[in-house]
Each structure stands twice: as structure tokens, then as C-alpha cells.
């Protein structure tokens, strides 16, 4: 799956306090990296592959679906990455638009997600089978402990923007979801303007 890395500045070591300019529309002043995901990058991640193909054929594979802006001025244990994630609204079949999701490579690393705009769900799962779906709206945050796989889902009709913060040495393991044939739960429309979760019958279980 392609990552479109539009790095703006090389990461460098800056050991002075830094004022960050966070946009509620998504984006951060002084970012060191942006990566973007397009509709065509999301093949195989939605359960309804036919709906994904039809969407890409109708609206193009080069349509931006989400992007992440990072501020990363230090490396190593103790340093933080701060940034924003902007996920556009939409559905593929019954599933609401989502980010790929990951477990941190250093699995015990926690993360904070604070909602700046929109209405979304943080879908959270553990390797041993626990699952949570927590709705976020502006002013709400989720403190994600280590060892939880996490994915943002946009269940509203405007961009879902979150501010995140995690340890700079955390890393991201995306393959754990692909190897399990998707997350255990799907966030889908409830048919009445809301959302609900249903089991993903294709899910094979996570392997540590
Ligand atoms: Fe993360």
C-alpha cells in the first residue's frame, strides 16, 4: 500500500520548548512530515471489495481520503510526536471511512487522541480479543493505553479531525491488521443515521 510522504522538513533535534499552531481544520504549524492516503491506496481493507472498486471507478483512485501532519523534532525514548489526522467522511458499502489502523511496534506505547472537529469513533482492539468503540466529538479525547490496536472511523458528514500525541519511539505495525484479514469489528451504519459495530466474519484473529 503506497504512502505518499510529503515530508516538508527533515526531523532534527530541537531541545527548546516549541509553540505549536494547531488548526481545527487539520494541520500543524512547523510540521516535519505529511503523509496522504488516496482512495486507490485502500484496496483490500474494506470488507466490501466490490463497493470499494465501484467507488474508485466512479470517483477516481487519486481522491484524497485522509492525511496526517506530524511535528517530530526529537527522536528517542522520552520524545513526543504531535500531529493531526484528518479523515474525510464517506462509506464503502456499509462501512464508514476509516484509517488503516495499527499497533505500535513498541507495543506498550500509549497515545492520546483529542477530537478537534467532526464526529468519529476510535476502534480499539487487543490481540487477546478485547474490543472497544468510543465515539469522539469536539472536546472529547481518548487515552489509548499501550497494547491496543487503534483506528479512526468517520461516522459523521464532515471531516473528522483529531490531535494525537505519542512517544517518538513507538513506531507503527500496520501488518497486524492485514495479517488478521481486518479488525475484529466493523463500524457500520445502523440504518437510522447512526453507527453500530458488527463482527467481521473474515477476521482470523491477531497473531502477536
Ligand atoms: Fe498510534
Amino acid at each position: 500500500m503506497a504512502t505518499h510522504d510529503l515530508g516538508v522538513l527533515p526531523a532534527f533535534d530541537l531541545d527548546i520548548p516549541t509553540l505549536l499552531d494547531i488548526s481545527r481544520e487539520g494541520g500543524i504549524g512547523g510540521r516535519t512530515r505529511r503523509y496522504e492516503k488516496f482512495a486507490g491506496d485502500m484496496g483490500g481493507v474494506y470488507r466490501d471489495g466490490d463497493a470499494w472498486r465501484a467507488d474508485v471507478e466512479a470517483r477516481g483512485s487519486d481522491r484524497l481520503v485522509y492525511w496526517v501532519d506530524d511535528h517530530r523534532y526529537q527522536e528517542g525514548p522520552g520524545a513526543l510526536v504531535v500531529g493531526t489526522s484528518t479523515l474525510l467522511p464517506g462509506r464503502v458499502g456499509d462501512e464508514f471511512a476509516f484509517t488503516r489502523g495499527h499497533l505500535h511496534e513498541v507495543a506498550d506505547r500509549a497515545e492520546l487522541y483529542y477530537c478537534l472537529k467532526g464526529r468519529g469513533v476510535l476502534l480499539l482492539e487487543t490481540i487477546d480479543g478485547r474490543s472497544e468503540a468510543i465515539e469522539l466529538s469536539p472536546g472529547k479525547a481518548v487515552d489509548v493505553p499501550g497494547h491496543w490496536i487503534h483506528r479512526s472511523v468517520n461516522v459523521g458528514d464532515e471531516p473528522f479531525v483529531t490531535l494525537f500525541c505519542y512517544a517518538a519511539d513507538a513506531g507503527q505495525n500496520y501488518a497486524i491488521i492485514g495479517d488478521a484479514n481486518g479488525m475484529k469489528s466493523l463500524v457500520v451504519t445502523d440504518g437510522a443515521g447512526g453507527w453500530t459495530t458488527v463482527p467481521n466474519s473474515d477476521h482470523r484473529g491477531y497473531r502477536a
Side-chain angles (χ1 to χ4, degrees), residues 43-76:
V45 298
Y46 288 100
R47 287 309 94 203
D48 189 341
D50 291 340
W52 173 77
R53 276 184 288 277
D55 180 66
V56 164
E57 282 174 19
R59 300 201 290 164
S61 62
D62 57 352
R63 180 172 49 85
L64 196 55
V65 289
Y66 69 88
W67 58 95
V68 175
D69 295 284
D70 278 351
H71 172 278
R72 183 189 191 110
Y73 274 17
Q74 280 188 300
E75 299 290 347

Side-chain angles (χ1 to χ4, degrees), residues 30-49:
R31 75 183 181 204
T32 51
R33 186 181 73 138
R34 165 177 281 195
Y35 76 81
E36 300 178 332
K37 283 276 181 271
F38 296 85
D41 297 331
M42 300 298 280
V45 298
Y46 288 100
R47 287 309 94 203
D48 189 341

Side-chain angles (χ1 to χ4, degrees), residues 102 104 111 113 150 166 172:
H102 58 261
H104 291 153
E111 185 159 1
Y113 279 87
H150 43 285
Y166 63 91
Q172 284 91 14

Side-chain angles (χ1 to χ4, degrees), residues 94-149:
D94 290 336
E95 276 189 280
F96 286 103
F98 58 66
T99 61
R100 289 169 66 191
H102 58 261
L103 179 69
H104 291 153
E105 267 176 39
V106 182
D108 69 356
R109 296 301 191 256
E111 185 159 1
L112 176 76
Y113 279 87
Y114 175 73
C115 180
L116 294 170
K117 181 178 179 176
R119 191 164 67 99
V121 169
L122 213 58
L123 184 61
L124 302 145
E125 298 180 352
T126 60
I127 287 173
D128 62 6
R130 287 181 288 167
S131 184
E132 299 272 351
I134 301 176
E135 182 164 324
L136 280 173
S137 56
K140 306 279 191 189
V142 179
D143 185 346
V144 180
H147 299 286
W148 283 83
I149 296 161

